[in-house]
Amino acid sequence: MSTVQTIRGPIDSSQLGRTLSHEHLTTGAIGMERLPWVYNEDDCVNAGIDALRRARAAGVDSILDLTPLDLGRQPSMFQRVAAADTGVNVVCATGVYRWVPSYFFGMDPDDIADHFLREIRDGIEGTPIRPGIIKIAWDLEYRLADGPNPASTPRANLERTARGAARAAKAGGVPISCHTLATDELGTPLLDIFEDEGLDLRAVTIGHSNDSSNLDYLKGIAARGANVGLDRFGTRRTQEELDRRCQLALDLAQAGYAEQVCLGHDGSPYGRFGAGRTTTTDCWLPVPQIEVPWLLAHGASQDDVDAMQRRSIRATFEAAAAMAGGAAK
Ligand SMILES: [Zn+2]
């Protein structure tokens, strides 16, 4: 057992229950709250409370909100959602998204770790809300490794943030969840860096992995100890694509890796990210209402499903806390 910080305060890891591993109450960009034609806090709060209540009714106990500052994190919204008592634990994040903000340029990994640890220990943006997890994001920018100054390429910036995240995770006792471009199999070089930093890879989730169809790649992540985040799943996809994503979860369970598979949607009831803004408050229902019944109907055991929904994410929190001496601090 270990302590997990939520937007309503600390809980024990045993209270996480059925957890959606990668979601967003809102998502967009830093500063969007200053643009009333992009973001309205009342609407966001209402949508978030409604979506959390729908998720609770479908059996969801916890969500991980993986929205760092530069992806549009909104602490005052968190405080209002927390006051509503939806019955769902919400864990929020520190960290950095894929377009590393310029205030990180030139920082060494220890400086970046201190930046994350400041939020982990003191709370986010002047509130008492403490993040329970570190989010980082490796996407297309990782391909940009050439430039006049090799230390300032997009890849170099991503590598430094990963090292900073690893050091903050070890010192602060919180896990890391990673947005990755799965088709480029970026989980592999990312885990190489974490390993080089001496991080216990059981505290890591390599997310968006069900955007890949390469089962060997996914098994390789699990074989190194990390969690495989099958965390993109929603009804805007075709039935064929949903079936493929369900099959991937089943294949990993049947390969013996259910304890290292976690499920989610990357969904938001008030998404402000790009033109495809999602607004449905049913965004967190497809896993409990489509994927889990599919798995049980196609040969997964209830224990496999419990591993994927209840135990895999809990284990990342407990492994992280153990690195920091037994408790998140
Ligand atoms: Zn996301």
Side-chain angles (χ1 to χ4, degrees):
M1 297 198 294
S2 67
T3 300
V4 177
Q5 297 293 337
T6 78
I7 63 172
R8 302 187 81 213
I11 62 170
D12 190 86
S13 56
S14 62
Q15 295 174 268
L16 284 169
R18 290 194 193 92
T19 303
L20 298 175
S21 64
H22 185 131
E23 312 296 346
H24 305 273
L25 279 163
T26 188
T27 180
I30 190 169
M32 67 181 183
E33 69 283 354
R34 299 182 197 171
L35 308 174
W37 60 93
V38 175
Y39 178 85
N40 177 288
E41 182 163 283
D42 289 345
D43 291 346
C44 184
V45 168
N46 291 336
I49 291 169
D50 186 24
L52 288 167
R53 289 196 170 134
R54 286 168 191 259
R56 178 80 279 273
V60 172
D61 298 301
S62 300
I63 70 163
L64 307 188
D65 181 303
L66 297 180
T67 315
L69 172 71
D70 51 329
L71 192 51
R73 189 182 61 193
Q74 303 293 331
S76 59
M77 177 272 290
F78 284 150
Q79 288 181 306
R80 291 174 62 187
V81 170
D85 191 13
T86 61
V88 180
N89 303 305
V90 177
V91 177
C92 77
T94 187
V96 57
Y97 196 53
R98 53 189 275 197
W99 303 294
V100 178
S102 49
Y103 54 79
F104 285 109
F105 291 6
M107 276 194 195
D108 68 31
D110 284 329
D111 294 333
I112 295 170
D114 283 345
H115 177 93
F116 298 153
L117 282 167
R118 191 181 292 264
E119 292 203 323
I120 290 166
R121 290 174 173 155
D122 299 343
I124 54 172
E125 301 171 57
T127 74
I129 294 177
R130 294 172 63 186
I133 194 163
I134 302 168
K135 154 78 171 279
I136 62 168
W138 280 26
D139 207 296
L140 279 176
E141 298 72 24
Y142 184 82
R143 295 181 183 182
L144 299 174
D146 285 333
N149 179 354
S152 65
T153 63
R155 179 184 293 188
N157 287 331
L158 291 175
E159 289 175 341
R160 271 198 301 274
T161 62
R163 290 189 185 278
R167 294 175 198 186
K170 287 168 67 178
V174 299
I176 304 176
S177 189
C178 312
H179 160 123
T180 59
L181 183 61
T183 46
D184 279 13
E185 305 189 352
L186 293 185
T188 303
L190 191 46
L191 290 179
D192 290 344
I193 282 188
F194 289 157
E195 217 162 55
D196 188 55
E197 289 287 331
L199 189 72
D200 182 346
L201 299 186
R202 292 176 301 173
V204 175
T205 296
I206 299 297
H208 304 338
S209 290
N210 53 356
D211 287 348
S212 167
S213 298
N214 183 352
L215 190 61
D216 287 337
Y217 164 63
L218 303 182
K219 286 199 272 191
I221 292 169
R224 295 175 74 174
N227 257 6
V228 182
L230 303 186
D231 50 25
R232 280 188 162 160
F233 195 88
T235 49
R236 289 167 69 208
R237 299 176 201 279
T238 64
Q239 188 60 49
E240 185 183 14
E241 181 58 19
L242 292 180
D243 287 347
R244 185 191 72 77
R245 286 166 191 257
C246 291
Q247 185 67 49
L248 210 51
L250 183 63
D251 289 345
L252 283 165
Q254 291 181 339
Y257 290 119
E259 301 288 341
Q260 290 164 262
V261 169
C262 52
L263 305 178
H265 306 86
D266 199 14
S268 174
Y270 189 81
R272 307 283 95 184
F273 192 113
R277 293 170 182 175
T278 49
T279 53
T280 175
T281 54
D282 289 336
C283 57
W284 296 323
L285 302 183
V287 165
Q289 294 188 343
I290 297 173
E291 188 167 25
V292 168
W294 189 102
L295 289 168
L296 292 170
H298 288 78
S301 66
Q302 184 61 50
D303 193 59
D304 290 334
V305 169
D306 286 344
M308 291 187 256
Q309 286 197 291
R310 293 175 177 275
R311 297 199 293 269
S312 55
I313 283 293
R314 176 182 171 177
T316 67
F317 283 96
E318 292 174 355
M323 284 189 299
K329 56 187 182 184

